[in-house]
Amino acid sequence: MTDVTDTLQLTVRHPRPGLAIATISGDVDTRTADTLRREASEIIQQGCPHLILNLSRVGFCDSAGLSALIGLWHATQAAGGALRLAHVPDRLMRMLTLTGVDAVLPVHATAAEALTTMTDSPSTSTGEHGSMTRVTTDAETREPTEVERMACDSTHHRPAKLS
């Protein structure tokens, strides 16, 4: 039997200004979908309208998770950006295909491949612009670690605000 967890972890890196790659770890379901939507929306609002979601560490995704992904696609579009999915697990890929969502949400084998398709994103700059990890549950958000406090907001090149 699979353990159900309320914990969803997002590890975010900023390879260039205006673009974030978020690796999601955990199940994206009725317990965590709102957390994903809230956390990823905050990334978009902080100046990263181009978002790649690396789903390689997602064990399970239900219809609430699918709804969160669609909501994030709308959020990136409204911000003038784009959403790409990478490393999509087979079960989730079947759901995307059956629902026709794969026609709207571009799916890529790797985050690097998705990154190369972001042709409308800001120009590439050298080096890493920072990263942060957020560990949240639907019930609580823990205090950021020192590493998180020092995370860099790629757009303004200053410490990111973590709530």
Side-chain angles (χ1 to χ4, degrees):
M1 178 156 36
T2 304
D3 291 331
V4 176
T5 177
D6 289 348
T7 302
L8 184 72
Q9 182 175 348
L10 276 75
T11 304
V12 181
R13 61 188 180 96
H14 302 274
R16 58 183 161 201
L19 181 119
I21 300 174
T23 300
I24 301 166
S25 300
D27 295 338
V28 184
D29 56 20
T30 56
R31 295 174 178 224
T32 60
D34 286 339
T35 301
L36 171 61
R37 190 185 311 244
R38 182 179 60 250
E39 295 294 323
S41 292
E42 186 175 318
I43 293 166
I44 296 163
Q45 291 168 1
Q46 288 179 347
C48 291
H50 299 280
L51 181 62
I52 297 170
L53 296 180
N54 177 344
L55 304 172
S56 62
R57 297 182 180 174
V58 171
F60 176 76
C61 183
D62 67 7
S63 59
L66 181 62
S67 177
L69 294 176
I70 294 167
L72 292 172
W73 176 76
H74 284 288
T76 58
Q77 295 291 302
L83 176 65
R84 303 283 189 265
L85 304 180
H87 297 283
V88 178
D90 290 339
R91 290 178 75 178
L92 177 53
M93 191 64 222
R94 282 192 298 277
M95 184 189 307
L96 293 172
T97 303
L98 286 172
T99 59
V101 174
D102 64 329
V104 177
L105 283 173
V107 177
H108 301 278
T110 66
E113 179 184 300
L115 184 59
T116 63
T117 68
M118 293 290 206
T119 57
D120 293 332
S121 62
S123 62
T124 304
S125 60
T126 58
E128 193 72 22
H129 287 276
S131 61
M132 66 181 145
T133 300
R134 301 169 188 225
V135 178
T136 59
T137 67
D138 284 344
E140 66 179 79
T141 301
R142 67 165 171 71
E143 190 64 28
T145 65
E146 186 62 28
V147 171
E148 292 169 329
R149 287 187 192 98
M150 296 174 66
C152 176
D153 178 337
S154 66
T155 303
H156 299 84
H157 209 55
R158 62 177 169 76
K161 177 184 141 203
L162 298 177
S163 51

